[in-house]
Amino acid sequence: MTVCCTCLYVLSYNNSCCMLPTSTALLQSLSVSVCLCVFVCVQEASCGYVIILMTLYWCTECMPLAVTGLLPVILFPMMGIMESSEVCTQYMKDSNMLFVGGLLMAIAVEQWNLHKRIALRVLLIVGMRPALLMFGFMGTTAFLSMWISNTAATAMMLPITNAVLKQLCDTEAQAEEGEMGGRGAGPGTGIPKGQDNQAFVMEPEPGVEESPEARERRLKREAKYLKLGKGMSLSVCYAASIGGTATLTGTAPNLILKGQVDELFPGNGDIVNFASWFGFSFPNMVLMLIISWLWLLFMYLGCNMKKLFGCGTNKDGDKEPYVVIKNEYKKLGSVSFAEGCILVLFVLLVLLWFTREPGFMPGWATVLFNKDKLYVTDGTVAMLMSTLFFLIPSQLPRCGGYSENGKPLKAPPTLLNWDVVHKKMPWNIFLLVGGGFALARGSETSGLSQWLGESLAPLQSIPPVAISLLLSLLIATFTECSSNVATTTLFLPILASMAVAIKLHPLYVMLPCTICASLAFMLPVATAPNAIAFSYGNLKVMDMAKAGFVLNIIGVITINIALNTWGAAMFNLNTFPDWAVNRRQC
């Protein structure tokens, strides 16, 4: 059987990685699956083959990730692992509804530019000094990515970052020109060389003689701001990834963890909910953000604290960049009725999430609904508040009346309409996440999870701290080459089985690995925020690799510190829970 599965692995790898058309590779792989279904009767091996096949397809992206997520619907029934109706139900779980509600809130916030208003207001508060400016960009991006997608937060913040740095560079050049008596020192008498990636590179105007001193100062200034631009770009994309770990709806891997825990351990008592996740992950996110900020300051801005924080220096040079941000804020106008409604609904949603089941006292859901069963979940609350976006008008309604041309006034549009949602909703994620739930259920049904757990039983002799640390490093490395969703989808069921086999709390390995799946800092292709930052042109792959390698190590260490301190107290990680003993039996 081992030889058979090895041959299938090699065949699938060749099909997906060679220069064959994707359709040919898929057809040949499906043919092998049918042969396996007919000639091999061991369900554990069949399910293992499906997992290996999907792993290869997800890593190589020989066809869309969401389509790969649908393979269990085809292969599990054909192999006799699960009935088709049972497989299909795995694609719409309670955690999917929570994801839908969170995305609808994010779409509403983006639709009415509330996120941009928040970002610009924060930047006006923190000031223009390099260290504080970087902290302001990182803090704002992290906060936004807690509620909207990491990609959207990065795409919105990077243009603002570039504009502010460009204005800082121009202001410094004009100040130098004034000191030198107008002898062609900077952009006041220069021409920009290129766009975006060369925004800080200026050339003197034709016919204007540039003195050696002026040229030296110009080149020094350009190098300074190119380096500063790299640091700012990295700070934004890294903060987006870090911020997404703080809330349950911040990024897809967090919801995959909740879905897997609820699927594999039905009696867990809703141990992972919005409040418990936030209580564990938010302090860890703040710690990671501060350490990342200090590391990027050291790497790109040096250690001159007086210069970085502006202590005892003249602040006149800050006025122009401040005006740029203030003008951008003024373009948004006054707070509209729609923005006010969204802000109220957003705050109300967060409060309902926190108070539904806070843990230290009975929540409102327990008192009103969940007396004997878990009727109301975080997904229920998310859908309730999201539905209101399609009911509340975007303008203050008026009763009756006519317009200037004598026609009756129409009702104002609602905060959201379905065309906007259909355009901005990442529907492919639901198939990808659903494929993960189907794999987890198939692993349990076929007995593969039990076999893997028994095979990993010798790990019981290794200290749990070492197991968690090694697995975190493994996931942080693997996620650089694969999407964080695919990484958590593949590893979490295996980790759950391993934890049960060695009598370790499942969350002790599942929690850190889920968060580490979002620590993709080293490569531009690792995650969308990295790709967006890289596309601005200031960065090279080595720049991202050098900064990201240290941040990966820092992230793994901080997560494991959190796990063994307040995480152990919150989730009682030092004991093996009864709900893990009485997990779903198939």
Side-chain angles (χ1 to χ4, degrees):
M1 182 58 63
T2 304
V3 175
C4 180
C5 287
T6 304
C7 293
L8 291 173
Y9 176 91
V10 173
L11 178 58
S12 299
Y13 182 84
N14 291 335
N15 286 343
S16 58
C17 297
C18 291
M19 301 301 292
L20 290 173
T22 300
S23 57
T24 305
L26 178 59
L27 288 175
Q28 292 186 11
S29 298
L30 289 177
S31 301
V32 171
S33 302
V34 174
C35 295
L36 183 66
C37 176
V38 174
F39 296 108
V40 180
C41 58
V42 180
Q43 289 189 336
E44 294 93 328
S46 302
C47 185
Y49 170 73
V50 175
I51 293 176
I52 292 173
L53 179 68
M54 294 179 67
T55 302
L56 290 172
Y57 281 11
W58 270 331
C59 291
T60 59
E61 295 190 35
C62 63
M63 64 181 184
L65 299 180
V67 179
T68 302
L70 289 172
L71 289 182
V73 180
I74 305 170
L75 300 180
F76 280 173
M78 293 174 63
M79 294 178 173
I81 297 174
M82 294 171 64
E83 296 179 3
S84 179
S85 58
E86 187 181 3
V87 178
C88 293
T89 57
Q90 306 303 312
Y91 286 79
M92 192 54 67
K93 296 286 189 179
D94 176 72
S95 55
N96 291 78
M97 291 295 98
L98 177 58
F99 195 32
V100 171
L103 287 174
L104 287 174
M105 174 63 72
I107 291 171
V109 169
E110 292 180 46
Q111 175 71 11
W112 295 99
N113 273 334
L114 182 60
H115 60 318
K116 189 172 184 178
R117 184 180 296 277
I118 294 172
L120 293 174
R121 173 54 65 183
V122 171
L123 293 176
L124 289 174
I125 294 173
V126 298
M128 296 294 110
R129 290 304 170 183
L132 296 178
L133 189 62
M134 179 181 286
F135 185 78
F137 278 120
M138 292 185 72
T140 305
T141 306
F143 174 78
L144 292 174
S145 63
M146 290 166 58
W147 314 106
I148 67 175
S149 73
N150 303 346
T151 305
T154 305
M156 185 202 73
M157 293 300 295
L158 278 176
I160 300 175
T161 304
N162 242 29
V164 171
L165 289 180
K166 180 65 170 62
Q167 187 59 51
L168 282 171
C169 182
D170 290 349
T171 302
E172 185 173 324
Q174 290 167 5
E176 290 178 359
E177 181 184 358
E179 292 175 3
M180 298 181 65
R183 293 194 298 270
T189 57
I191 299 174
K193 183 181 179 181
Q195 301 293 330
D196 290 336
N197 60 326
Q198 308 238 354
F200 312 117
V201 178
M202 312 296 294
E203 290 184 339
E205 291 181 357
V208 177
E209 184 178 354
E210 188 179 29
S211 66
E213 181 183 358
R215 184 175 185 277
E216 181 180 354
R217 297 182 69 173
R218 176 174 61 82
L219 294 176
K220 185 177 179 180
R221 183 181 65 253
E222 291 169 359
K224 168 189 170 183
Y225 278 97
L226 283 172
K227 188 174 182 180
L228 182 59
K230 290 181 179 182
M232 290 292 185
S233 298
L234 286 176
S235 71
V236 169
C237 68
Y238 289 165
S241 297
I242 294 172
T245 65
T247 59
L248 193 58
T249 57
T251 187
N254 305 351
L255 287 166
I256 292 174
L257 169 67
K258 175 175 173 54
Q260 298 283 18
V261 170
D262 292 343
E263 172 67 22
L264 299 173
F265 308 103
N268 67 80
D270 198 29
I271 188 172
V272 178
N273 55 41
F274 191 91
S276 64
W277 180 275
F278 188 86
F280 171 74
S281 296
F282 181 76
N284 177 69
M285 184 272 285
V286 173
L287 181 61
M288 285 182 60
L289 199 67
I290 292 174
I291 297 176
S292 302
W293 171 57
L294 293 175
W295 165 243
L296 291 174
L297 279 182
F298 169 76
M299 188 171 182
Y300 286 99
L301 300 178
C303 299
N304 188 338
M305 293 295 107
K306 181 178 180 180
K307 185 177 180 180
L308 291 177
F309 290 92
C311 300
T313 59
N314 185 8
K315 297 185 178 181
D316 291 340
D318 296 345
K319 292 181 180 179
E320 286 81 0
Y322 183 87
V323 170
V324 171
I325 296 180
K326 194 169 183 179
N327 289 336
E328 287 294 318
Y329 187 81
K330 286 182 178 179
K331 290 178 183 178
L332 298 176
S334 58
V335 179
S336 64
F337 178 78
E339 289 179 87
C341 289
I342 292 171
L343 184 60
V344 170
L345 291 176
F346 170 74
V347 173
L348 185 59
L349 173 62
V350 174
L351 289 176
L352 289 174
W353 268 339
F354 275 118
T355 57
R356 184 189 68 84
E357 192 59 55
F360 58 86
M361 61 176 290
W364 59 266
T366 303
V367 174
L368 298 177
F369 304 102
N370 301 343
K371 295 180 180 179
D372 54 346
K373 290 184 179 180
L374 191 63
Y375 289 106
V376 174
T377 65
D378 287 335
T380 311
V381 177
M383 293 309 300
L384 169 65
M385 302 307 297
S386 300
T387 304
L388 297 178
F389 290 130
F390 300 92
L391 298 175
I392 299 176
S394 58
Q395 301 172 12
L396 192 63
R398 291 184 292 172
C399 297
Y402 294 87
S403 60
E404 295 180 357
N405 56 9
K407 295 182 179 180
L409 291 175
K410 294 183 179 180
T414 54
L415 295 173
L416 277 183
N417 62 71
W418 191 250
D419 290 336
V420 173
V421 173
H422 180 71
K423 181 180 179 181
K424 294 188 176 183
M425 181 72 76
W427 301 107
N428 59 319
I429 294 295
F430 299 104
L431 298 180
L432 184 58
V433 173
F437 294 154
L439 281 182
R441 188 75 180 104
S443 298
E444 289 293 316
T445 304
S446 65
L448 178 63
S449 293
Q450 183 178 355
W451 178 82
L452 286 171
E454 293 171 354
S455 301
L456 297 170
L459 292 176
Q460 195 166 5
S461 60
I462 301 177
V465 175
I467 294 176
S468 173
L469 190 62
L470 290 174
L471 289 174
S472 298
L473 287 170
L474 171 65
I475 298 298
T477 303
F478 191 85
T479 195
E480 296 288 351
C481 308
S482 177
S483 73
N484 54 7
V485 177
T487 301
T488 48
T489 298
L490 293 169
F491 278 95
L492 287 183
I494 298 174
L495 296 177
S497 300
M498 181 203 72
V500 172
I502 64 178
K503 305 300 180 184
L504 185 66
H505 198 297
L507 290 182
Y508 194 86
V509 290
M510 297 175 78
L511 264 178
C513 289
T514 299
I515 299 178
C516 284
S518 297
L519 304 184
F521 297 140
M522 291 182 61
L523 298 176
V525 297
T527 185
N530 292 10
I532 294 173
F534 190 80
S535 68
Y536 271 71
N538 294 337
L539 294 167
K540 298 178 181 178
V541 174
M542 189 54 64
D543 294 326
M544 191 168 283
K546 288 191 295 186
F549 176 77
V550 175
L551 289 186
N552 274 358
I553 302 299
I554 291 173
V556 169
I557 293 174
T558 55
I559 289 167
N560 279 271
I561 291 174
L563 186 74
N564 292 283
T565 51
W566 65 84
M570 286 183 59
F571 298 107
N572 199 17
L573 299 179
N574 295 323
T575 61
F576 187 61
D578 293 336
W579 50 262
V581 178
N582 303 318
R583 65 173 179 165
R584 185 188 296 276
Q585 300 296 324
C586 303

